[in-house]
Amino acid sequence: MSDKYLTLSEFNLEGQFLSFVGDPPGESKYLRLAIASGEVRLKLPKQLRCSLSLNLQPGELIRVFGLSKLNSHTGKIKFKVYGVKPLGICPMQKIPLQPKARILVCQKSGCRKRGGQGLLSELQKTLCDRGLQDRVVIETTGCLKCCDSAPNCILQLGQKEFKKVHPEAIASLLESYIF
């Protein structure tokens, strides 16, 4: 019997803490870290979540270490965090602009069968063509509870949500909202 995850190597990342991400919002399940090559999202072990959420401030430099593992079935790499060490706040370094918008795209089987993967690809292409890919986060999700109108995506602009919007319309909304 083979193990689903194969240990690749240890990792030691240093970067700027951006925020915590969780479901439900407010739960510190993941840590967003800005590194030289972009942004990474790392899952935190339960024993670290509470203490880190009380002690880390956005903009703070931190070092995150642990093990990277490969899912032999999907080919995806998973980072298992063992520790986080604060390095202090660096006032000379600007915090990267936090995306002001989020797009949630359902990738559950019903939506995928009705074009969910194509919708995701079209969204990414449209946003890239208009230069908006850095100002929005696209997240693939489970069921969004709107199965009758599949494929589904939700555009979140601040406190507003837009449903059943075509990728071109999403790009136009983003341009008017962000700029």
Side-chain angles (χ1 to χ4, degrees), residues 91-157:
M92 298 303 287
Q93 196 173 12
K94 290 184 179 178
I95 299 173
L97 288 175
Q98 193 165 1
K100 294 182 177 183
R102 253 176 35 154
I103 302 173
L104 308 174
V105 182
C106 180
Q107 291 297 292
K108 203 71 172 160
S109 62
C111 279
R112 286 182 67 87
K113 288 176 187 173
R114 294 182 180 149
Q117 186 62 39
L119 175 64
L120 180 62
S121 298
E122 188 177 348
L123 265 171
Q124 290 169 333
K125 183 185 180 313
T126 302
L127 295 175
C128 186
D129 290 347
R130 295 211 185 168
L132 295 169
Q133 70 275 11
D134 295 338
R135 303 299 308 248
V136 65
V137 173
I138 299 176
E139 294 181 19
T140 57
T141 68
C143 188
L144 294 171
K145 309 292 185 214
C146 309
C147 300
D148 293 339
S149 61
N152 287 300
C153 76
I154 298 175
L155 169 63
Q156 296 177 331
L157 294 172

Side-chain angles (χ1 to χ4, degrees), residues 40 71 73 77-80 94 105 111 131 141 145 165:
V40 290
N71 183 326
H73 299 296
I77 296 176
K78 174 176 146 180
F79 296 101
K80 188 167 184 176
K94 290 184 179 178
V105 182
C111 279
T141 68
K145 309 292 185 214
V165 185

Side-chain angles (χ1 to χ4, degrees), residues 23-80:
D23 190 29
E27 186 178 306
S28 307
K29 193 170 185 177
Y30 296 92
L31 177 140
R32 287 180 50 230
L33 184 68
I35 57 174
S37 60
E39 183 181 312
V40 290
R41 193 168 114 167
L42 306 165
K43 189 171 182 182
L44 294 169
K46 289 179 182 174
Q47 63 269 23
L48 284 179
R49 291 178 191 170
C50 186
S51 63
L52 287 177
S53 65
L54 296 173
N55 296 319
L56 284 181
Q57 298 297 317
E60 192 169 356
L61 291 177
I62 59 173
R63 179 173 291 131
V64 182
F65 49 92
L67 287 176
S68 60
K69 296 184 174 200
L70 174 69
N71 183 326
S72 58
H73 299 296
T74 64
K76 292 187 178 184
I77 296 176
K78 174 176 146 180
F79 296 101
K80 188 167 184 176

